[in-house]
Tab-separated table of all heavy atoms in Angstrom:
chain	number	residue	atom	x	y	z
A	1105	MET	N	0.853	-1.174	0.009
A	1105	MET	CA	0.000	-0.006	0.001
A	1105	MET	C	0.893	1.232	0.001
A	1105	MET	O	1.870	1.293	0.720
A	1105	MET	CB	-0.887	-0.023	1.257
A	1105	MET	CG	-1.869	1.113	1.328
A	1105	MET	SD	-2.954	1.027	2.763
A	1105	MET	CE	-3.963	-0.368	2.368
A	1106	THR	N	0.544	2.214	-0.812
A	1106	THR	CA	1.341	3.427	-0.874
A	1106	THR	C	1.103	4.278	0.368
A	1106	THR	O	0.135	4.085	1.101
A	1106	THR	CB	0.958	4.269	-2.110
A	1106	THR	OG1	-0.382	4.720	-1.962
A	1106	THR	CG2	1.129	3.475	-3.389
A	1107	ALA	N	2.000	5.231	0.567
A	1107	ALA	CA	1.876	6.110	1.726
A	1107	ALA	C	0.563	6.884	1.701
A	1107	ALA	O	-0.096	7.049	2.727
A	1107	ALA	CB	3.055	7.073	1.791
A	1108	ASP	N	0.147	7.353	0.525
A	1108	ASP	CA	-1.110	8.093	0.411
A	1108	ASP	C	-2.299	7.195	0.722
A	1108	ASP	O	-3.241	7.617	1.379
A	1108	ASP	CB	-1.260	8.696	-0.993
A	1108	ASP	CG	-0.317	9.854	-1.211
A	1108	ASP	OD1	0.130	10.469	-0.229
A	1108	ASP	OD2	-0.029	10.159	-2.392
A	1109	ALA	N	-2.271	5.968	0.240
A	1109	ALA	CA	-3.362	5.025	0.506
A	1109	ALA	C	-3.435	4.710	1.997
A	1109	ALA	O	-4.518	4.623	2.563
A	1109	ALA	CB	-3.197	3.761	-0.311
A	1110	LEU	N	-2.284	4.559	2.627
A	1110	LEU	CA	-2.250	4.277	4.052
A	1110	LEU	C	-2.865	5.430	4.826
A	1110	LEU	O	-3.676	5.222	5.715
A	1110	LEU	CB	-0.811	4.024	4.519
A	1110	LEU	CG	-0.595	3.792	6.015
A	1110	LEU	CD1	-1.366	2.564	6.476
A	1110	LEU	CD2	0.869	3.623	6.309
A	1111	LYS	N	-2.524	6.650	4.484
A	1111	LYS	CA	-3.072	7.800	5.174
A	1111	LYS	C	-4.572	7.886	4.941
A	1111	LYS	O	-5.319	8.291	5.831
A	1111	LYS	CB	-2.358	9.065	4.727
A	1111	LYS	CG	-0.971	9.177	5.284
A	1111	LYS	CD	-0.266	10.433	4.870
A	1111	LYS	CE	1.144	10.446	5.456
A	1111	LYS	NZ	1.870	11.662	5.116
A	1112	GLY	N	-5.048	7.495	3.766
A	1112	GLY	CA	-6.466	7.544	3.478
A	1112	GLY	C	-7.270	6.531	4.285
A	1112	GLY	O	-8.429	6.768	4.597
A	1113	LYS	N	-6.688	5.421	4.640
A	1113	LYS	CA	-7.375	4.384	5.411
A	1113	LYS	C	-6.957	4.387	6.855
A	1113	LYS	O	-7.232	3.445	7.596
A	1113	LYS	CB	-7.078	3.011	4.791
A	1113	LYS	CG	-7.683	2.850	3.422
A	1113	LYS	CD	-7.620	1.417	3.001
A	1113	LYS	CE	-8.347	1.256	1.709
A	1113	LYS	NZ	-9.226	0.136	1.695
A	1114	TRP	N	-6.317	5.458	7.287
A	1114	TRP	CA	-5.741	5.504	8.610
A	1114	TRP	C	-6.761	5.285	9.728
A	1114	TRP	O	-6.513	4.546	10.666
A	1114	TRP	CB	-4.997	6.805	8.811
A	1114	TRP	CG	-4.285	6.873	10.125
A	1114	TRP	CD1	-4.496	7.783	11.121
A	1114	TRP	CD2	-3.295	5.975	10.620
A	1114	TRP	NE1	-3.678	7.518	12.197
A	1114	TRP	CE2	-2.922	6.399	11.895
A	1114	TRP	CE3	-2.674	4.859	10.084
A	1114	TRP	CZ2	-1.979	5.758	12.663
A	1114	TRP	CZ3	-1.721	4.206	10.871
A	1114	TRP	CH2	-1.382	4.652	12.138
A	1115	LYS	N	-7.940	5.894	9.611
A	1115	LYS	CA	-8.942	5.737	10.672
A	1115	LYS	C	-9.336	4.277	10.844
A	1115	LYS	O	-9.490	3.795	11.968
A	1115	LYS	CB	-10.159	6.578	10.394
A	1115	LYS	CG	-9.923	8.043	10.630
A	1115	LYS	CD	-11.170	8.852	10.470
A	1115	LYS	CE	-10.847	10.308	10.708
A	1115	LYS	NZ	-12.002	11.162	10.661
A	1116	GLU	N	-9.499	3.568	9.739
A	1116	GLU	CA	-9.862	2.151	9.819
A	1116	GLU	C	-8.713	1.343	10.424
A	1116	GLU	O	-8.953	0.442	11.200
A	1116	GLU	CB	-10.179	1.633	8.419
A	1116	GLU	CG	-11.415	2.227	7.790
A	1116	GLU	CD	-11.586	1.755	6.369
A	1116	GLU	OE1	-11.631	0.537	6.168
A	1116	GLU	OE2	-11.668	2.616	5.500
A	1117	MET	N	-7.505	1.697	10.022
A	1117	MET	CA	-6.349	0.948	10.499
A	1117	MET	C	-6.088	1.146	11.989
A	1117	MET	O	-5.619	0.230	12.654
A	1117	MET	CB	-5.102	1.327	9.701
A	1117	MET	CG	-5.074	0.698	8.337
A	1117	MET	SD	-3.443	0.735	7.614
A	1117	MET	CE	-2.456	-0.120	8.817
A	1118	LYS	N	-6.377	2.341	12.490
A	1118	LYS	CA	-6.089	2.618	13.917
A	1118	LYS	C	-6.793	1.602	14.828
A	1118	LYS	O	-6.181	1.118	15.765
A	1118	LYS	CB	-6.526	4.035	14.287
A	1118	LYS	CG	-5.563	5.083	13.861
A	1118	LYS	CD	-5.758	6.427	14.528
A	1118	LYS	CE	-7.140	6.938	14.609
A	1118	LYS	NZ	-7.224	8.293	15.161
A	1119	GLY	N	-8.022	1.258	14.509
A	1119	GLY	CA	-8.744	0.285	15.317
A	1119	GLY	C	-8.079	-1.069	15.307
A	1119	GLY	O	-7.924	-1.720	16.338
A	1120	LYS	N	-7.668	-1.506	14.133
A	1120	LYS	CA	-7.013	-2.797	14.014
A	1120	LYS	C	-5.627	-2.778	14.697
A	1120	LYS	O	-5.225	-3.759	15.309
A	1120	LYS	CB	-6.908	-3.209	12.570
A	1120	LYS	CG	-8.270	-3.461	11.955
A	1120	LYS	CD	-8.162	-4.258	10.685
A	1120	LYS	CE	-9.514	-4.470	10.066
A	1120	LYS	NZ	-10.320	-5.464	10.749
A	1121	LEU	N	-4.936	-1.663	14.581
A	1121	LEU	CA	-3.628	-1.550	15.221
A	1121	LEU	C	-3.765	-1.595	16.744
A	1121	LEU	O	-2.973	-2.223	17.426
A	1121	LEU	CB	-2.935	-0.265	14.805
A	1121	LEU	CG	-2.389	-0.254	13.382
A	1121	LEU	CD1	-2.046	1.181	12.962
A	1121	LEU	CD2	-1.174	-1.132	13.239
A	1122	ARG	N	-4.805	-0.939	17.265
A	1122	ARG	CA	-5.036	-0.968	18.717
A	1122	ARG	C	-5.341	-2.374	19.201
A	1122	ARG	O	-4.978	-2.769	20.281
A	1122	ARG	CB	-6.191	-0.029	19.107
A	1122	ARG	CG	-5.907	1.445	19.067
A	1122	ARG	CD	-4.899	1.860	20.119
A	1122	ARG	NE	-5.179	1.327	21.426
A	1122	ARG	CZ	-5.643	2.004	22.428
A	1122	ARG	NH1	-5.875	3.274	22.319
A	1122	ARG	NH2	-5.871	1.422	23.597
A	1123	THR	N	-6.042	-3.140	18.359
A	1123	THR	CA	-6.352	-4.514	18.716
A	1123	THR	C	-5.082	-5.360	18.733
A	1123	THR	O	-4.846	-6.127	19.677
A	1123	THR	CB	-7.361	-5.128	17.720
A	1123	THR	OG1	-8.559	-4.346	17.759
A	1123	THR	CG2	-7.677	-6.571	18.045
A	1124	GLU	N	-4.275	-5.203	17.717
A	1124	GLU	CA	-3.033	-5.981	17.592
A	1124	GLU	C	-1.948	-5.534	18.566
A	1124	GLU	O	-1.228	-6.343	19.120
A	1124	GLU	CB	-2.498	-5.879	16.147
A	1124	GLU	CG	-1.316	-6.778	15.861
A	1124	GLU	CD	-1.663	-8.249	15.829
A	1124	GLU	OE1	-2.786	-8.609	15.450
A	1124	GLU	OE2	-0.788	-9.054	16.192
A	1125	PHE	N	-1.829	-4.228	18.730
A	1125	PHE	CA	-0.780	-3.641	19.568
A	1125	PHE	C	-1.426	-2.809	20.661
A	1125	PHE	O	-1.420	-1.586	20.614
A	1125	PHE	CB	0.159	-2.778	18.711
A	1125	PHE	CG	0.799	-3.507	17.570
A	1125	PHE	CD1	0.335	-3.324	16.271
A	1125	PHE	CD2	1.843	-4.405	17.782
A	1125	PHE	CE1	0.917	-4.013	15.201
A	1125	PHE	CE2	2.422	-5.079	16.732
A	1125	PHE	CZ	1.961	-4.884	15.430
A	1126	GLY	N	-2.017	-3.474	21.641
A	1126	GLY	CA	-2.800	-2.815	22.675
A	1126	GLY	C	-2.063	-1.809	23.523
A	1126	GLY	O	-2.685	-0.985	24.196
A	1127	GLU	N	-0.747	-1.856	23.533
A	1127	GLU	CA	0.018	-0.919	24.350
A	1127	GLU	C	0.137	0.453	23.703
A	1127	GLU	O	0.544	1.409	24.357
A	1127	GLU	CB	1.408	-1.469	24.641
A	1127	GLU	CG	1.403	-2.649	25.581
A	1127	GLU	CD	2.799	-3.173	25.872
A	1127	GLU	OE1	3.760	-2.392	25.763
A	1127	GLU	OE2	2.921	-4.355	26.194
A	1128	LEU	N	-0.207	0.561	22.418
A	1128	LEU	CA	-0.126	1.846	21.743
A	1128	LEU	C	-1.313	2.704	22.185
A	1128	LEU	O	-2.443	2.237	22.265
A	1128	LEU	CB	-0.170	1.682	20.218
A	1128	LEU	CG	0.957	0.873	19.590
A	1128	LEU	CD1	0.743	0.768	18.085
A	1128	LEU	CD2	2.303	1.500	19.892
A	1129	THR	N	-1.046	3.964	22.443
A	1129	THR	CA	-2.114	4.882	22.882
A	1129	THR	C	-2.741	5.570	21.671
A	1129	THR	O	-2.132	5.629	20.584
A	1129	THR	CB	-1.552	5.941	23.842
A	1129	THR	OG1	-0.678	6.815	23.106
A	1129	THR	CG2	-0.861	5.344	25.037
A	1130	ASP	N	-3.916	6.100	21.869
A	1130	ASP	CA	-4.576	6.875	20.815
A	1130	ASP	C	-3.732	8.082	20.429
A	1130	ASP	O	-3.652	8.434	19.263
A	1130	ASP	CB	-5.970	7.339	21.269
A	1130	ASP	CG	-6.967	6.193	21.301
A	1130	ASP	OD1	-6.826	5.239	20.517
A	1130	ASP	OD2	-7.901	6.278	22.124
A	1131	ASP	N	-3.115	8.712	21.420
A	1131	ASP	CA	-2.270	9.874	21.144
A	1131	ASP	C	-1.081	9.497	20.270
A	1131	ASP	O	-0.712	10.240	19.355
A	1131	ASP	CB	-1.765	10.503	22.449
A	1131	ASP	CG	-2.866	11.217	23.229
A	1131	ASP	OD1	-3.916	11.553	22.614
A	1131	ASP	OD2	-2.682	11.422	24.431
A	1132	GLU	N	-0.466	8.347	20.552
A	1132	GLU	CA	0.680	7.912	19.735
A	1132	GLU	C	0.246	7.632	18.307
A	1132	GLU	O	0.912	8.034	17.358
A	1132	GLU	CB	1.312	6.656	20.326
A	1132	GLU	CG	2.058	6.910	21.618
A	1132	GLU	CD	2.486	5.649	22.319
A	1132	GLU	OE1	1.785	4.619	22.251
A	1132	GLU	OE2	3.554	5.695	22.933
A	1133	LEU	N	-0.886	6.946	18.153
A	1133	LEU	CA	-1.374	6.643	16.811
A	1133	LEU	C	-1.773	7.914	16.079
A	1133	LEU	O	-1.551	8.042	14.872
A	1133	LEU	CB	-2.534	5.660	16.876
A	1133	LEU	CG	-2.160	4.250	17.295
A	1133	LEU	CD1	-3.407	3.396	17.512
A	1133	LEU	CD2	-1.244	3.588	16.273
A	1134	GLU	N	-2.336	8.857	16.795
A	1134	GLU	CA	-2.716	10.140	16.160
A	1134	GLU	C	-1.468	10.895	15.729
A	1134	GLU	O	-1.462	11.516	14.665
A	1134	GLU	CB	-3.544	10.960	17.135
A	1134	GLU	CG	-4.184	12.178	16.519
A	1134	GLU	CD	-5.122	11.876	15.363
A	1134	GLU	OE1	-5.807	10.827	15.411
A	1134	GLU	OE2	-5.164	12.678	14.425
A	1135	ALA	N	-0.417	10.833	16.509
A	1135	ALA	CA	0.833	11.516	16.160
A	1135	ALA	C	1.476	10.919	14.907
A	1135	ALA	O	2.072	11.644	14.100
A	1135	ALA	CB	1.818	11.464	17.334
A	1136	VAL	N	1.332	9.624	14.724
A	1136	VAL	CA	1.899	8.950	13.549
A	1136	VAL	C	1.146	9.344	12.280
A	1136	VAL	O	1.744	9.506	11.230
A	1136	VAL	CB	1.879	7.413	13.766
A	1136	VAL	CG1	2.232	6.672	12.497
A	1136	VAL	CG2	2.822	7.016	14.888
A	1137	LYS	N	-0.151	9.475	12.374
A	1137	LYS	CA	-1.034	9.881	11.253
A	1137	LYS	C	-0.774	9.149	9.960
A	1137	LYS	O	-0.720	9.732	8.889
A	1137	LYS	CB	-0.941	11.385	11.026
A	1137	LYS	CG	-1.552	12.181	12.128
A	1137	LYS	CD	-1.862	13.563	11.656
A	1137	LYS	CE	-2.299	14.385	12.812
A	1137	LYS	NZ	-3.684	14.652	12.869
A	1138	GLY	N	-0.561	7.858	10.038
A	1138	GLY	CA	-0.425	7.060	8.829
A	1138	GLY	C	0.983	6.992	8.252
A	1138	GLY	O	1.187	6.386	7.195
A	1139	ASP	N	1.974	7.570	8.893
A	1139	ASP	CA	3.353	7.496	8.408
A	1139	ASP	C	3.911	6.130	8.802
A	1139	ASP	O	4.169	5.845	9.975
A	1139	ASP	CB	4.192	8.625	9.017
A	1139	ASP	CG	5.604	8.652	8.474
A	1139	ASP	OD1	6.291	7.609	8.523
A	1139	ASP	OD2	6.029	9.711	7.993
A	1140	ARG	N	4.091	5.288	7.810
A	1140	ARG	CA	4.477	3.905	8.071
A	1140	ARG	C	5.817	3.785	8.781
A	1140	ARG	O	5.979	2.970	9.681
A	1140	ARG	CB	4.486	3.105	6.772
A	1140	ARG	CG	4.770	1.641	7.051
A	1140	ARG	CD	4.545	0.785	5.863
A	1140	ARG	NE	4.940	-0.560	6.189
A	1140	ARG	CZ	4.243	-1.621	5.916
A	1140	ARG	NH1	3.100	-1.513	5.295
A	1140	ARG	NH2	4.666	-2.817	6.213
A	1141	GLU	N	6.788	4.600	8.397
A	1141	GLU	CA	8.104	4.534	9.049
A	1141	GLU	C	8.013	4.854	10.514
A	1141	GLU	O	8.601	4.188	11.366
A	1141	GLU	CB	9.074	5.495	8.363
A	1141	GLU	CG	10.054	4.806	7.443
A	1141	GLU	CD	11.070	5.783	6.893
A	1141	GLU	OE1	11.852	6.352	7.683
A	1141	GLU	OE2	11.086	5.971	5.672
A	1142	GLN	N	7.243	5.894	10.834
A	1142	GLN	CA	7.058	6.264	12.235
A	1142	GLN	C	6.322	5.181	12.987
A	1142	GLN	O	6.658	4.866	14.130
A	1142	GLN	CB	6.316	7.585	12.351
A	1142	GLN	CG	7.116	8.778	12.009
A	1142	GLN	CD	6.356	10.077	12.239
A	1142	GLN	OE1	5.177	10.067	12.595
A	1142	GLN	NE2	6.999	11.205	12.051
A	1143	LEU	N	5.316	4.598	12.348
A	1143	LEU	CA	4.546	3.546	12.956
A	1143	LEU	C	5.427	2.333	13.266
A	1143	LEU	O	5.415	1.795	14.376
A	1143	LEU	CB	3.392	3.133	12.065
A	1143	LEU	CG	2.511	1.969	12.557
A	1143	LEU	CD1	1.852	2.304	13.884
A	1143	LEU	CD2	1.482	1.613	11.493
A	1144	GLU	N	6.223	1.923	12.297
A	1144	GLU	CA	7.135	0.791	12.500
A	1144	GLU	C	8.099	1.078	13.620
A	1144	GLU	O	8.380	0.212	14.466
A	1144	GLU	CB	7.879	0.450	11.220
A	1144	GLU	CG	7.001	-0.184	10.167
A	1144	GLU	CD	7.710	-0.436	8.840
A	1144	GLU	OE1	8.873	0.008	8.672
A	1144	GLU	OE2	7.089	-1.053	7.971
A	1145	GLY	N	8.655	2.282	13.657
A	1145	GLY	CA	9.590	2.661	14.709
A	1145	GLY	C	8.961	2.655	16.093
A	1145	GLY	O	9.556	2.191	17.066
A	1146	LEU	N	7.722	3.159	16.165
A	1146	LEU	CA	6.996	3.187	17.429
A	1146	LEU	C	6.745	1.770	17.941
A	1146	LEU	O	6.983	1.473	19.115
A	1146	LEU	CB	5.656	3.936	17.229
A	1146	LEU	CG	4.734	3.979	18.432
A	1146	LEU	CD1	5.374	4.751	19.584
A	1146	LEU	CD2	3.409	4.629	18.014
A	1147	ILE	N	6.280	0.879	17.071
A	1147	ILE	CA	6.020	-0.501	17.474
A	1147	ILE	C	7.298	-1.204	17.849
A	1147	ILE	O	7.356	-1.935	18.849
A	1147	ILE	CB	5.271	-1.251	16.344
A	1147	ILE	CG1	3.883	-0.636	16.141
A	1147	ILE	CG2	5.161	-2.736	16.668
A	1147	ILE	CD1	3.177	-1.128	14.904
A	1148	GLN	N	8.358	-0.975	17.087
A	1148	GLN	CA	9.654	-1.606	17.378
A	1148	GLN	C	10.150	-1.158	18.755
A	1148	GLN	O	10.608	-1.958	19.561
A	1148	GLN	CB	10.667	-1.253	16.299
A	1148	GLN	CG	11.948	-2.022	16.406
A	1148	GLN	CD	12.844	-1.791	15.205
A	1148	GLN	OE1	12.745	-0.795	14.515
A	1148	GLN	NE2	13.726	-2.714	14.951
A	1149	LYS	N	10.023	0.121	19.043
A	1149	LYS	CA	10.474	0.655	20.337
A	1149	LYS	C	9.640	0.087	21.475
A	1149	LYS	O	10.154	-0.303	22.510
A	1149	LYS	CB	10.335	2.198	20.304
A	1149	LYS	CG	10.717	2.868	21.570
A	1149	LYS	CD	10.565	4.377	21.426
A	1149	LYS	CE	10.663	5.085	22.756
A	1149	LYS	NZ	10.379	6.516	22.610
A	1150	ARG	N	8.331	0.020	21.285
A	1150	ARG	CA	7.440	-0.425	22.350
A	1150	ARG	C	7.517	-1.925	22.597
A	1150	ARG	O	7.474	-2.395	23.702
A	1150	ARG	CB	6.013	-0.017	21.977
A	1150	ARG	CG	4.926	-0.381	22.972
A	1150	ARG	CD	5.059	0.329	24.322
A	1150	ARG	NE	5.184	1.744	24.223
A	1150	ARG	CZ	4.180	2.607	24.268
A	1150	ARG	NH1	2.976	2.184	24.432
A	1150	ARG	NH2	4.421	3.901	24.144
A	1151	TYR	N	7.611	-2.702	21.506
A	1151	TYR	CA	7.516	-4.172	21.630
A	1151	TYR	C	8.845	-4.893	21.450
A	1151	TYR	O	8.933	-6.076	21.741
A	1151	TYR	CB	6.510	-4.725	20.630
A	1151	TYR	CG	5.086	-4.406	20.981
A	1151	TYR	CD1	4.483	-3.230	20.570
A	1151	TYR	CD2	4.348	-5.260	21.773
A	1151	TYR	CE1	3.183	-2.922	20.907
A	1151	TYR	CE2	3.030	-4.972	22.130
A	1151	TYR	CZ	2.463	-3.789	21.689
A	1151	TYR	OH	1.179	-3.481	22.035
A	1152	GLY	N	9.863	-4.228	20.930
A	1152	GLY	CA	11.157	-4.849	20.747
A	1152	GLY	C	11.191	-5.938	19.689
A	1152	GLY	O	12.029	-6.825	19.728
A	1153	LYS	N	10.265	-5.837	18.733
A	1153	LYS	CA	10.212	-6.844	17.659
A	1153	LYS	C	11.115	-6.413	16.507
A	1153	LYS	O	11.434	-5.239	16.355
A	1153	LYS	CB	8.781	-6.986	17.140
A	1153	LYS	CG	7.822	-7.551	18.164
A	1153	LYS	CD	6.445	-7.686	17.554
A	1153	LYS	CE	5.461	-8.219	18.564
A	1153	LYS	NZ	5.435	-9.655	18.633
A	1154	ALA	N	11.495	-7.372	15.671
A	1154	ALA	CA	12.320	-7.079	14.507
A	1154	ALA	C	11.528	-6.290	13.501
A	1154	ALA	O	10.308	-6.468	13.347
A	1154	ALA	CB	12.808	-8.376	13.873
A	1155	LYS	N	12.198	-5.387	12.790
A	1155	LYS	CA	11.541	-4.537	11.808
A	1155	LYS	C	10.825	-5.363	10.735
A	1155	LYS	O	9.711	-5.022	10.297
A	1155	LYS	CB	12.542	-3.573	11.172
A	1155	LYS	CG	11.869	-2.555	10.298
A	1155	LYS	CD	12.804	-1.443	9.932
A	1155	LYS	CE	12.057	-0.464	9.083
A	1155	LYS	NZ	12.305	0.898	9.393
A	1156	ALA	N	11.412	-6.446	10.290
A	1156	ALA	CA	10.795	-7.294	9.258
A	1156	ALA	C	9.489	-7.892	9.772
A	1156	ALA	O	8.500	-7.978	9.027
A	1156	ALA	CB	11.758	-8.400	8.833
A	1157	GLU	N	9.460	-8.307	11.011
A	1157	GLU	CA	8.251	-8.866	11.593
A	1157	GLU	C	7.167	-7.815	11.714
A	1157	GLU	O	5.990	-8.051	11.403
A	1157	GLU	CB	8.553	-9.456	12.980
A	1157	GLU	CG	7.344	-10.101	13.618
A	1157	GLU	CD	7.644	-10.667	14.999
A	1157	GLU	OE1	8.778	-10.589	15.472
A	1157	GLU	OE2	6.697	-11.192	15.598
A	1158	ILE	N	7.538	-6.623	12.151
A	1158	ILE	CA	6.587	-5.520	12.270
A	1158	ILE	C	6.018	-5.180	10.900
A	1158	ILE	O	4.813	-4.984	10.752
A	1158	ILE	CB	7.246	-4.298	12.902
A	1158	ILE	CG1	7.636	-4.603	14.349
A	1158	ILE	CG2	6.353	-3.068	12.825
A	1158	ILE	CD1	8.563	-3.598	14.974
A	1159	SER	N	6.877	-5.096	9.916
A	1159	SER	CA	6.458	-4.775	8.538
A	1159	SER	C	5.438	-5.799	8.036
A	1159	SER	O	4.427	-5.443	7.452
A	1159	SER	CB	7.669	-4.697	7.620
A	1159	SER	OG	7.263	-4.334	6.330
A	1160	ARG	N	5.713	-7.066	8.300
A	1160	ARG	CA	4.796	-8.136	7.866
A	1160	ARG	C	3.453	-7.999	8.582
A	1160	ARG	O	2.391	-8.133	7.946
A	1160	ARG	CB	5.421	-9.502	8.174
A	1160	ARG	CG	4.553	-10.675	7.771
A	1160	ARG	CD	5.078	-12.007	8.287
A	1160	ARG	NE	5.252	-12.036	9.728
A	1160	ARG	CZ	4.254	-12.137	10.626
A	1160	ARG	NH1	3.034	-12.212	10.226
A	1160	ARG	NH2	4.515	-12.185	11.919
A	1161	MET	N	3.483	-7.693	9.862
A	1161	MET	CA	2.238	-7.559	10.622
A	1161	MET	C	1.412	-6.376	10.106
A	1161	MET	O	0.194	-6.459	9.978
A	1161	MET	CB	2.551	-7.387	12.099
A	1161	MET	CG	3.145	-8.650	12.729
A	1161	MET	SD	3.747	-8.371	14.402
A	1161	MET	CE	2.216	-8.585	15.303
A	1162	ILE	N	2.070	-5.269	9.813
A	1162	ILE	CA	1.359	-4.089	9.283
A	1162	ILE	C	0.790	-4.415	7.917
A	1162	ILE	O	-0.326	-3.999	7.595
A	1162	ILE	CB	2.274	-2.862	9.260
A	1162	ILE	CG1	2.607	-2.430	10.696
A	1162	ILE	CG2	1.627	-1.708	8.503
A	1162	ILE	CD1	3.666	-1.372	10.817
A	1163	ASP	N	1.553	-5.138	7.094
A	1163	ASP	CA	1.036	-5.557	5.767
A	1163	ASP	C	-0.249	-6.341	5.918
A	1163	ASP	O	-1.216	-6.130	5.175
A	1163	ASP	CB	2.063	-6.414	5.026
A	1163	ASP	CG	3.246	-5.613	4.467
A	1163	ASP	OD1	3.118	-4.361	4.358
A	1163	ASP	OD2	4.265	-6.225	4.146
A	1164	GLU	N	-0.300	-7.264	6.880
A	1164	GLU	CA	-1.499	-8.065	7.095
A	1164	GLU	C	-2.684	-7.187	7.535
A	1164	GLU	O	-3.807	-7.401	7.099
A	1164	GLU	CB	-1.220	-9.156	8.155
A	1164	GLU	CG	-0.314	-10.240	7.637
A	1164	GLU	CD	0.052	-11.262	8.693
A	1164	GLU	OE1	-0.576	-11.263	9.782
A	1164	GLU	OE2	0.964	-12.056	8.464
A	1165	ILE	N	-2.419	-6.220	8.384
A	1165	ILE	CA	-3.487	-5.308	8.844
A	1165	ILE	C	-3.979	-4.484	7.645
A	1165	ILE	O	-5.192	-4.304	7.488
A	1165	ILE	CB	-2.991	-4.423	9.991
A	1165	ILE	CG1	-2.743	-5.271	11.238
A	1165	ILE	CG2	-3.977	-3.297	10.273
A	1165	ILE	CD1	-2.023	-4.561	12.370
A	1166	GLU	N	-3.081	-4.003	6.822
A	1166	GLU	CA	-3.466	-3.219	5.649
A	1166	GLU	C	-4.353	-4.039	4.723
A	1166	GLU	O	-5.339	-3.511	4.184
A	1166	GLU	CB	-2.233	-2.757	4.877
A	1166	GLU	CG	-1.475	-1.651	5.552
A	1166	GLU	CD	-0.210	-1.268	4.826
A	1166	GLU	OE1	0.222	-1.985	3.909
A	1166	GLU	OE2	0.376	-0.240	5.176
A	1167	LYS	N	-4.019	-5.289	4.528
A	1167	LYS	CA	-4.823	-6.152	3.639
A	1167	LYS	C	-6.228	-6.357	4.211
A	1167	LYS	O	-7.191	-6.473	3.459
A	1167	LYS	CB	-4.151	-7.501	3.437
A	1167	LYS	CG	-2.925	-7.415	2.574
A	1167	LYS	CD	-2.238	-8.777	2.480
A	1167	LYS	CE	-0.904	-8.638	1.772
A	1167	LYS	NZ	-0.165	-9.907	1.774
A	1168	ALA	N	-6.331	-6.399	5.539
A	1168	ALA	CA	-7.633	-6.615	6.168
A	1168	ALA	C	-8.532	-5.392	6.085
A	1168	ALA	O	-9.743	-5.513	6.182
A	1168	ALA	CB	-7.414	-7.002	7.631
A	1169	VAL	N	-7.914	-4.223	5.876
A	1169	VAL	CA	-8.719	-2.998	5.821
A	1169	VAL	C	-9.192	-2.805	4.458
A	1169	VAL	O	-9.432	-2.781	3.541
A	1169	VAL	CB	-7.883	-1.780	6.259
A	1169	VAL	CG1	-8.597	-0.479	6.023
A	1169	VAL	CG2	-7.506	-1.908	7.702
């Protein structure tokens, strides 16, 4: 999904991201505003997961939206 498409579906994705990554706050997700790099960095910092794994998980969420 392109950066513009991600930003366009951001509201839908926020709910799925909160379900998958419950430790993320609404304020953090609002600050990211659909920027995938920032989102990946935030999840990596919070959960300590590998970037490739985070990227795969976000891809799956994008497909579901």
Side-chain angles (χ1 to χ4, degrees):
M1105 183 177 290
T1106 66
D1108 288 337
L1110 177 60
K1111 287 181 181 181
K1113 294 192 174 226
W1114 184 240
K1115 286 186 180 184
E1116 294 174 56
M1117 283 197 57
K1118 281 195 315 185
K1120 294 198 181 284
L1121 287 165
R1122 286 293 313 254
T1123 300
E1124 186 69 33
F1125 303 103
E1127 292 181 24
L1128 299 179
T1129 67
D1130 287 330
D1131 289 341
E1132 289 172 325
L1133 290 172
E1134 190 60 35
V1136 170
K1137 291 200 187 255
D1139 184 306
R1140 185 169 175 133
E1141 258 185 63
Q1142 285 185 356
L1143 178 60
E1144 288 176 353
L1146 177 63
I1147 294 169
Q1148 189 172 23
K1149 178 180 169 185
R1150 181 63 53 92
Y1151 287 88
K1153 295 181 181 274
K1155 188 167 180 138
E1157 181 181 359
I1158 294 167
S1159 183
R1160 180 190 56 75
M1161 292 172 84
I1162 293 172
D1163 286 342
E1164 289 176 12
I1165 292 169
E1166 287 176 349
K1167 289 176 188 175
V1169 172

